[in-house]
């Protein structure tokens, strides 16, 4: 099971840059890039809430679950 992060989709819809989002949320562009590229191991609810507030969206607009392909079935 994997969690896919769709921040890029919301950034495009809002016509916002990564740098602008990072500034408005209060995190570094580097930390936002880690989250955006799916390399984060965790995300704080406070950060998720701030992302949703700035992007005017729901958590489900940013995160989605995808089943992994099972080998041998």
């Amino acid at each position: 099971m994997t969690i896919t992060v769709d921040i890029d989709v919301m950034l495009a819809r809002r016509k916002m840059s990564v740098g602008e989002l990072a500034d408005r949320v209060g995190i570094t562009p580097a930390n936002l890039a880690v989250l955006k590229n799916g390399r984060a191991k965790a995300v704080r609810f406070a950060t998720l809430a701030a992302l949703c507030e700035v992007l005017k969206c729901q958590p489900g607009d940013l995160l989605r679950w995808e089943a992994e392909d099972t080998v041998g079935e």
Side-chain angles (χ1 to χ4, degrees):
M1 122 183 116
T2 60
I3 300 294
T4 301
V5 181
D6 289 326
I7 291 176
D8 282 338
V9 173
M10 293 307 296
L11 283 171
R13 287 182 184 165
R14 304 297 186 253
K15 296 182 172 126
M16 188 181 297
S17 70
V18 171
E20 180 183 354
L21 180 59
D23 285 343
R24 291 178 64 184
V25 169
I27 61 176
T28 66
N31 283 340
L32 182 57
V34 168
L35 179 60
K36 183 176 77 73
N37 295 324
R39 294 190 316 263
K41 300 289 183 199
V43 60
R44 292 176 192 247
F45 282 146
T47 302
L48 183 57
L51 287 166
C52 290
E53 183 177 352
V54 170
L55 294 170
K56 296 180 176 38
C57 66
Q58 294 294 314
D61 296 326
L62 300 177
L63 304 172
R64 64 188 154 89
W65 175 82
E66 292 182 346
E68 291 181 12
D69 293 336
T70 305
V71 179
E73 283 190 30

